[in-house]
Amino acid sequence: MSRFFRQAGDSDSDSSEESDEDIMTSGDEAEAPKPSTTAKPAMSRFLVTAGSDSSESDSDEESSASNSDDNETNEEGDDGEERTQIRILSAVDKRLKEMEATGKVMENALKINDWMAISNEFDKLVRMIQRQHNLSEPVPAFYVRTLVNLESSINNTLQKEKEAKKKMNASNAKALTAMKQKIKKAVKEYETDVKKYQEDPEAFERDYLSLVSRDTSTNTTVQVQRSGSGGVTDQVDEFTTVGKGGKVMQFTSESIFKDLQAVQEARGKKNTDRAEQIRILEILVGVAATSYQRIRVLLALISSRFDYNSSVSSHMPAELWLSAQREVDQLVSIVAADPNYSVQEMTDDYDELVERSPATEKGIVRIRGSIISFIDRLDDEFTRSLQNIDPHGTEYVDRLKDEKVLYCTICRAQAFYEKTSQGEPLGRVIMRRLEHIYSKPDAVVQALEAAVDLSEVKPAMTLTQQGTTSVLVHSLCVYLYKSGNSLLRTRAMLSHIYHHALHNDFHTARDMLLMSHLQESIHSADVATQILYNRTVVQLGLCAFRSGLIKEAQATLQDIFTTQRVKELLAQGVHQQRFHIMTPEQEKAEKQRQLPFHMHINTELLEAAFLVSSMLVEIPLLASIESEEQKRKVISKPFRRLLDFADRQVFTGPPESTRDHIMQASKALQDGEWERCRDLIQSIKIWSLMPEAAAVKEMLAKRIQEQGLRTYLFTYAPHYSTLSLSLLSRTFSLPLRTVTSVVSKMIWNEELSASLDQSGGVVVFQRIELSRSQQLAQVISDKVAAMVDQNEKTLDIRMGGTGGWGERNDGNKNEKRGEQTQERRGRGERTRGVRGGARGRGGRFSQGLGNQMPSHASQRGQ
């Protein structure tokens, strides 16, 4: 068993010798057990100091002598007990032994001129010295002596190589040249120590030994007791809390800057214990006596928390994040309470080891740091944690509760920057605050602001002062419009538009988007801003739908649904392409830009709004056309594709999904069964997710009645010469005034070739049959108009314009040139049977937003 109690410093040769002895004496162990005779020689041999000049033979003699003495001592033990005094080497001595062993290998390699081996061993020695630096230990005299000796040996070897007739091999010569550069760099790095050593080697080594003996703790004597029963007990007189290298760790406010510098120098280096660094900084926060000391330590502590475990975990653990958040709050509170101290990114150079105060600085003490960077990192880590938590579990809800404390921290930072008049970081922190409230309902914003009112440090703009959430968002955005950079202004504008759309203020949101001209330049923005743009446009489409503006809603949602990548464009999912495989870097970047679940826009609700809007626009259009040529002109390709697929079905069962309800409702509307269409649309369960679900269903019933009337007139007008308005009113359960209004609009828009006789309460249809030549002339006219429009678009691009991105061009539709286009389209003399001459495409948005929308959806991901 004595083999297994050997110390870490025992050599391999001793192990082999002892193993041989154990094997040879295994048969006699029962007669003469001697457990201590193998441990003592091994230890005594390795207790020779670094400065000993005794030879190996002398060491062996001393070792054998000590063995015999120990044996005699052990045999004289009282009461059958054996006591052995074992001296444990300190960590400093162990590291010094490792260096000396490496130096011995280099010395042997130097005798045979093996510079490749010398280079490898020197690299090991440099790594050992680097470990010394990490532990804040002095440079060993052995290392300085090795540098001086190697430099001399290299110079001698190079001189001999020049004079030698037979040159060394290429690999060895290359290693010699590399060693020359390494030694030159090392000597330059330790130039001061090398000079001191060259002046007086003995004095240099004495200084090092005295420094080591002062810094390291005393060796502890461990007494190992072996009783007759074979039990082993350890007795240690007393313990002292020590750090790495045997140093006693004592932290005071007087040495706080020195300790802080040691921690910062070890930051980022290999083999640095980050948890230990954080623990030391936490102690330093407790011993800090002045505001300057607390600020300096907090800046280092928060940075260390963000660095901890960054490469292992995809997001910051919640406990660590909360600690960092509390420390940021503490830091902001200190600098906000005392205006004599300010944390800034750009400051003059100052001595970091000297205490600074307003009296010594004769004014404000400016400390190098960045609170806004901590705010950004806190917010990003919070978002990243939500991205990696299952949104359908309770953990997500618990984590989401931390948004309140984060919002309070952001508001405190805003108050600090307002107080110190730092414009650039103030704009960034206001943007962070705006991103937390622009897309939330009023109740949630009020809850967040209520927590801010309880804080001691408050910004100038709060909900209590502004009155409503809309006024608060307006104030924050106006500040960014005036003082923010281009990116902040763009994001503030989009957030402002989103907030108006969320509160059903469609016309204000639409006008702001059109006047900003963002649709012309959004393709050159960063991906995050493009995502925000897509979200804003989609929310604007939902706002139009909730407000009953069906054509505007369809035109606004058209572009994003045409791409069939809705989730990807809204950063709510990754689009899977069949023949494209993303690299790990691309996949990681795509996941990082995904929005947390609580910020998602329900895509099923979005699709329901788009398809219902398309149904109400497309079904009357289909009823108004006759030839196959005209049927190819579609407004909503996604809706038409689904409708064609439904028409090809041989058997249609009861509707199950949202799409099934809408497709069957579309067929019912085509057949004139508007009541069945209404019932199918209102039975869609997804409407319950809208806050105004009852009002939306009532609005849809009214729109279905009106579009059912239009479809009926388009379909059955050829069979009537006159038609009673009261009959239409009873058939579609609409007021007579509403029926009159719908028919008048159709006649005015040239969708219906008829006249209105209000005295008789009838519609008088006019039959004008077109010849085959006239029908072909209409087709040619449309194609020529499309060609002219395309030429104008191409010319615009060559002249440096946007190529007509500010206007829509759906299929062969030519409606984006205003009055000039209307004149080209026939001035009312083109008619088709009893239908008017204009195409009646429906979904035209020239008076609103549609003609101004770019194909922004195609820009995401490029």
Side-chain angles (χ1 to χ4, degrees):
M1 291 300 297
S2 61
R3 284 184 297 173
F4 299 96
F5 288 94
R6 291 170 51 80
Q7 297 298 319
D10 293 353
S11 64
D12 295 337
S13 60
D14 296 330
S15 301
S16 61
E17 291 173 4
E18 291 174 4
S19 300
D20 295 338
E21 292 175 4
D22 291 340
I23 294 172
M24 293 173 63
T25 60
S26 60
D28 301 330
E29 281 183 351
E31 299 177 2
K34 295 181 179 181
S36 63
T37 57
T38 57
K40 188 65 180 179
M43 292 304 301
S44 61
R45 188 185 303 177
F46 280 89
L47 290 177
V48 182
T49 60
S52 177
D53 295 328
S54 61
S55 63
E56 295 180 1
S57 60
D58 294 338
S59 299
D60 294 338
E61 292 175 1
E62 292 175 3
S63 177
S64 61
S66 62
N67 287 345
S68 61
D69 295 340
D70 289 341
N71 291 336
E72 293 175 1
T73 304
N74 293 335
E75 290 171 358
E76 295 174 358
D78 298 333
D79 300 331
E81 294 183 355
E82 298 177 354
R83 299 175 181 269
T84 303
Q85 297 291 333
I86 302 176
R87 182 183 176 191
I88 299 177
L89 290 177
S90 67
V92 177
D93 293 336
K94 289 181 180 179
R95 286 191 285 273
L96 186 58
K97 286 293 182 182
E98 292 179 6
M99 294 182 191
E100 290 178 348
T102 304
K104 187 67 175 177
V105 176
M106 294 171 63
E107 182 180 350
N108 294 334
L110 188 61
K111 294 178 181 178
I112 60 175
N113 209 26
D114 186 358
W115 289 99
M116 295 179 66
I118 294 173
S119 179
N120 294 333
E121 294 300 320
F122 183 76
D123 291 340
K124 293 181 183 178
L125 187 60
V126 170
R127 287 194 292 270
M128 295 177 188
I129 296 299
Q130 186 62 43
R131 194 191 315 165
Q132 299 278 91
H133 281 301
N134 294 342
L135 300 174
S136 301
E137 294 179 358
V139 180
F142 168 78
Y143 180 67
V144 179
R145 181 171 69 247
T146 302
L147 290 180
V148 174
N149 294 338
L150 279 176
E151 185 179 28
S152 177
S153 299
I154 289 173
N155 293 334
N156 294 335
T157 304
L158 290 173
Q159 185 65 29
K160 293 178 180 178
E161 186 67 14
K162 290 181 180 179
E163 300 173 356
K165 296 181 180 180
K166 185 178 181 181
K167 305 294 183 181
M168 66 176 65
N169 61 61
S171 301
N172 208 29
K174 186 177 180 180
L176 175 61
T177 305
M179 273 300 301
K180 179 182 177 182
Q181 299 298 327
K182 292 177 184 178
I183 292 297
K184 183 178 179 181
K185 179 181 178 181
V187 169
K188 185 177 181 180
E189 183 177 359
Y190 301 99
E191 185 176 2
T192 305
D193 294 332
V194 169
K195 287 183 178 179
K196 289 181 181 179
Y197 178 82
Q198 290 176 341
E199 291 173 359
D200 192 349
E202 296 181 359
F204 184 83
E205 292 194 5
R206 282 197 305 270
D207 293 341
Y208 169 72
L209 292 175
S210 63
L211 185 61
V212 170
S213 63
R214 183 172 66 251
D215 288 346
T216 56
S217 60
T218 58
N219 293 328
T220 305
T221 301
V222 181
Q223 190 178 53
V224 180
Q225 247 186 19
R226 292 184 177 86
S227 61
S229 60
V232 180
T233 59
D234 294 347
Q235 295 179 354
V236 181
D237 294 336
E238 60 181 8
F239 290 95
T240 304
T241 303
V242 296
K244 290 186 175 181
K247 290 184 179 180
V248 179
M249 303 178 69
Q250 296 178 351
F251 303 105
T252 62
S253 59
E254 290 77 14
S255 63
I256 193 168
F257 297 123
K258 182 180 178 181
D259 297 330
L260 185 60
Q261 186 182 35
V263 171
Q264 290 176 335
E265 288 177 352
R267 179 184 176 188
K269 292 183 178 179
K270 190 177 181 181
N271 299 327
T272 299
D273 189 349
R274 296 179 179 177
E276 179 70 14
Q277 301 292 312
I278 291 176
R279 191 184 69 82
I280 292 173
L281 290 171
E282 288 174 343
I283 297 174
L284 293 179
V285 171
V287 302
T290 65
S291 297
Y292 178 73
Q293 292 179 356
R294 284 193 291 271
I295 293 172
R296 286 283 308 281
V297 176
L298 283 172
L299 288 171
L301 177 57
I302 297 168
S303 299
S304 297
R305 290 202 188 276
F306 286 134
D307 290 344
Y308 182 78
N309 209 26
S310 58
S311 60
V312 178
S313 178
S314 58
H315 64 280
M316 199 172 179
E319 297 78 9
L320 199 63
W321 185 91
L322 288 171
S323 299
Q325 181 271 330
R326 287 191 294 267
E327 286 149 5
V328 172
D329 271 354
Q330 185 179 355
L331 176 62
V332 174
S333 299
I334 293 173
V335 295
D338 193 346
N340 293 320
Y341 294 92
S342 178
V343 178
Q344 300 179 4
E345 295 184 14
M346 303 297 294
T347 62
D348 296 333
D349 292 336
Y350 55 86
D351 190 350
E352 296 185 350
L353 297 177
V354 177
E355 175 73 29
R356 300 168 66 206
S357 65
T360 58
E361 297 293 322
K362 298 180 181 180
I364 299 177
V365 180
R366 292 178 172 82
I367 306 169
R368 190 177 299 108
S370 178
I371 295 178
I372 184 58
S373 297
F374 294 153
I375 298 294
D376 290 342
R377 186 68 184 273
L378 275 176
D379 200 1
D380 294 340
E381 289 292 345
F382 178 74
T383 302
R384 194 172 293 121
S385 66
L386 292 175
Q387 290 172 343
N388 290 273
I389 297 176
D390 181 14
H392 305 292
T394 57
E395 184 183 359
Y396 188 91
V397 179
D398 294 338
R399 188 71 178 102
L400 194 57
K401 294 177 182 178
D402 295 332
E403 186 177 15
K404 182 182 292 186
V405 295
L406 174 61
Y407 186 77
C408 292
T409 302
I410 293 174
C411 291
R412 290 190 186 99
Q414 179 184 343
F416 164 69
Y417 286 122
E418 287 174 348
K419 190 174 182 180
T420 56
S421 301
Q422 300 183 41
E424 193 272 337
L426 178 59
R428 290 169 58 185
V429 77
I430 287 179
M431 190 67 241
R432 288 284 179 176
R433 182 184 179 187
L434 184 62
E435 288 175 346
H436 281 274
I437 62 175
Y438 80 94
S439 62
K440 290 182 171 59
D442 290 346
V444 179
V445 177
Q446 290 169 2
L448 293 175
E449 288 290 328
V452 176
D453 291 335
L454 300 176
S455 176
E456 298 177 357
V457 183
K458 302 178 185 177
M461 293 175 282
T462 61
L463 183 61
T464 304
Q465 297 173 346
Q466 303 298 325
T468 63
T469 57
S470 297
V471 177
L472 174 62
V473 171
H474 177 78
S475 301
L476 296 174
C477 292
V478 167
Y479 176 84
L480 294 175
Y481 296 155
K482 294 179 179 179
S483 58
N485 55 32
S486 177
L487 176 61
L488 293 183
R489 284 197 300 270
T490 299
R491 295 187 64 85
M493 176 66 73
L494 291 172
S495 301
H496 204 176
I497 296 170
Y498 189 103
H499 187 76
H500 280 301
L502 189 65
H503 289 75
N504 294 331
D505 191 357
F506 171 77
H507 294 93
T508 301
R510 178 199 61 185
D511 294 343
M512 288 180 63
L513 184 58
L514 292 177
M515 289 187 294
S516 67
H517 297 284
L518 289 175
Q519 60 272 19
E520 299 176 2
S521 58
I522 193 63
H523 62 276
S524 60
D526 61 288
V527 175
T529 305
Q530 291 186 32
I531 292 172
L532 179 57
Y533 179 86
N534 293 336
R535 284 169 49 81
T536 302
V537 171
V538 163
Q539 190 61 242
L540 191 59
L542 286 176
C543 174
F545 182 80
R546 292 192 298 265
S547 303
L549 304 173
I550 300 301
K551 291 184 179 181
E552 288 83 348
Q554 193 278 334
T556 307
L557 299 175
Q558 171 75 20
D559 285 335
I560 195 167
F561 273 94
T562 304
T563 63
Q564 299 181 356
R565 297 159 52 201
V566 178
K567 287 188 176 181
E568 181 188 10
L569 298 175
L570 296 178
Q572 297 178 189
V574 180
H575 179 67
Q576 299 293 337
Q577 298 184 15
R578 180 177 299 179
F579 301 107
H580 177 70
I581 300 176
M582 290 189 296
T583 63
E585 292 78 12
Q586 292 174 333
E587 186 175 359
K588 182 180 179 180
E590 191 69 26
K591 288 183 178 179
Q592 287 179 348
R593 66 171 64 107
Q594 299 299 302
L595 292 174
F597 182 78
H598 70 281
M599 295 183 66
H600 285 192
I601 298 174
N602 191 291
T603 53
E604 186 179 355
L605 178 63
L606 192 63
E607 184 183 39
F610 171 69
L611 292 178
V612 170
S613 300
S614 300
M615 177 192 74
L616 295 175
V617 171
E618 193 86 21
I619 296 303
L621 173 65
L622 288 173
S624 68
I625 59 180
E626 294 177 338
S627 64
E628 291 296 326
E629 181 72 23
Q630 294 169 342
K631 282 188 178 180
R632 285 196 289 267
K633 301 174 185 178
V634 296
I635 295 177
S636 175
K637 290 183 179 180
F639 174 81
R640 184 70 70 88
R641 186 165 50 247
L642 291 174
L643 187 61
D644 292 342
F645 179 77
D647 289 337
R648 291 195 298 267
Q649 297 299 313
V650 178
F651 173 77
T652 303
E656 297 179 357
S657 64
T658 301
R659 288 184 178 182
D660 292 342
H661 280 81
I662 296 175
M663 290 302 104
Q664 293 193 19
S666 301
K667 288 185 177 182
L669 190 60
Q670 279 182 316
D671 297 337
E673 301 176 2
W674 67 269
E675 292 176 333
R676 182 168 179 267
C677 174
R678 177 198 61 192
D679 295 340
L680 285 168
I681 294 298
Q682 289 186 340
S683 64
I684 296 176
K685 297 180 180 179
I686 199 67
W687 301 131
S688 60
L689 297 181
M690 279 191 174
E692 313 88 353
V696 168
K697 289 182 179 180
E698 184 179 352
M699 177 272 298
L700 288 176
K702 184 178 179 181
R703 294 295 180 270
I704 289 172
Q705 288 174 293
E706 293 175 355
Q707 297 304 320
L709 173 60
R710 284 167 48 83
T711 304
Y712 180 84
L713 290 174
F714 282 135
T715 304
Y716 297 104
H719 306 287
Y720 291 96
S721 58
T722 59
L723 189 58
S724 173
L725 294 176
S726 60
L727 176 62
L728 294 175
S729 175
R730 291 192 303 270
T731 303
F732 293 96
S733 301
L734 286 172
L736 183 61
R737 185 172 181 176
T738 303
V739 174
T740 305
S741 174
V742 171
V743 173
S744 299
K745 287 181 180 179
M746 294 177 68
I747 295 174
W748 175 259
N749 292 330
E750 300 178 353
E751 295 174 337
L752 199 63
S753 180
S755 61
L756 187 63
D757 185 1
Q758 293 185 345
S759 60
V762 296
V763 181
V764 181
F765 296 100
Q766 301 171 1
R767 296 179 180 276
I768 301 177
E769 297 293 340
L770 293 179
S771 64
R772 179 60 178 169
S773 301
Q774 289 174 326
Q775 294 176 1
L776 294 175
Q778 277 191 340
V779 174
I780 294 174
S781 174
D782 287 343
K783 291 184 177 181
V784 170
M787 186 182 300
V788 171
D789 185 69
Q790 183 65 31
N791 289 339
E792 291 177 355
K793 181 179 175 181
T794 304
L795 180 62
D796 187 23
I797 294 175
R798 291 188 178 182
M799 296 298 291
T802 59
W805 285 117
E807 299 173 292
R808 290 175 54 89
N809 182 18
D810 293 329
N812 294 326
K813 185 170 67 175
N814 299 285
E815 297 176 304
K816 64 179 184 177
R817 297 303 178 195
E819 296 179 358
Q820 180 183 359
T821 304
Q822 293 296 335
E823 292 176 1
R824 289 202 307 263
R825 306 233 16 211
R827 299 184 183 87
E829 61 253 17
R830 293 180 300 173
T831 56
R832 299 188 305 276
V834 296
R835 300 169 183 82
R839 295 280 106 25
R841 294 298 306 244
R844 188 170 60 186
F845 205 11
S846 57
Q847 294 84 11
L849 179 63
N851 286 355
Q852 302 295 328
M853 298 302 300
S855 59
H856 62 282
S858 62
Q859 303 297 333
R860 265 281 290 112
Q862 288 186 0

